Amino acid sequence: MEESGNSKTGRAKTVLVFQAGGISKAIITSLIANVKDKPSLERLSFKGSCDFHSEVRQQFETTILPIVDEILRLLEIPPKSFELSVVNPGATSASDTGINLQGYSADAPAFLALLSAALDLSVRQDVVCTGHIASPDGDM
């Protein structure tokens, strides 16, 4: 957990697989969630150089964010608005390859980053996670 101005920041490490020069590569990177200083109608926004595929955005908004909201509700904490980004690792910068986040394996690290920021609790940074959260009930 780190403070970024007045907002809280959560970070969860994950593995991203991408194509560079026709070769599949995997890198360890982090998903970063910032709690917005002011509540917004846009509860979840995406920033940075990573292109979050529209299906991934929808999954985060319709499955991951409601799980975070339910945990906050049970703890009697008001809902939060977030900005989500991916650390642009040197491996993609060096190969002049942008990050295009597709598929659902980033669900678990996105959930952890959002919850970490919302609760002001850090996630261990010596652990890397990946995984699909299949429903708002938390089925993985």
Side-chain angles (χ1 to χ4, degrees):
M1 171 60 50
E2 16 180 287
E3 290 236 10
S4 174
N6 292 330
S7 66
K8 302 293 183 193
T9 301
R11 177 184 299 258
K13 287 194 174 183
T14 190
V15 175
L16 296 179
V17 177
F18 64 99
Q19 293 284 323
I23 299 171
S24 291
K25 297 183 179 186
I27 54 168
I28 295 175
T29 189
S30 295
L31 267 69
I32 310 295
N34 289 311
V35 174
K36 293 181 183 179
D37 291 333
K38 297 179 183 172
S40 168
L41 291 177
E42 183 182 35
R43 297 279 318 288
L44 185 58
S45 61
F46 302 86
K47 69 175 198 171
S49 59
C50 178
D51 177 25
F52 289 85
H53 192 273
S54 62
E55 290 175 357
V56 171
R57 289 174 183 244
Q58 182 178 7
Q59 170 73 0
F60 288 175
E61 291 167 352
T62 61
T63 303
I64 308 307
L65 188 56
I67 296 170
V68 172
D69 286 345
E70 179 62 12
I71 291 169
L72 296 179
R73 184 189 70 74
L74 292 170
L75 295 171
E76 299 179 356
I77 299 171
K80 310 286 185 196
S81 296
F82 301 94
E83 289 180 338
L84 194 62
S85 62
V86 174
V87 172
N88 189 8
T92 59
S93 296
S95 61
D96 198 27
T97 303
I99 299 172
N100 185 355
L101 194 59
Q102 299 181 47
Y104 302 112
S105 62
D107 289 358
F111 166 74
L112 290 173
L114 292 170
L115 193 60
S116 168
L119 296 177
D120 194 16
L121 295 170
S122 61
V123 175
R124 289 178 53 154
Q125 294 302 296
D126 60 346
V127 175
V128 176
C129 71
T130 185
H132 172 51
I133 299 176
S135 76
D137 294 328
D139 298 321
M140 294 188 76

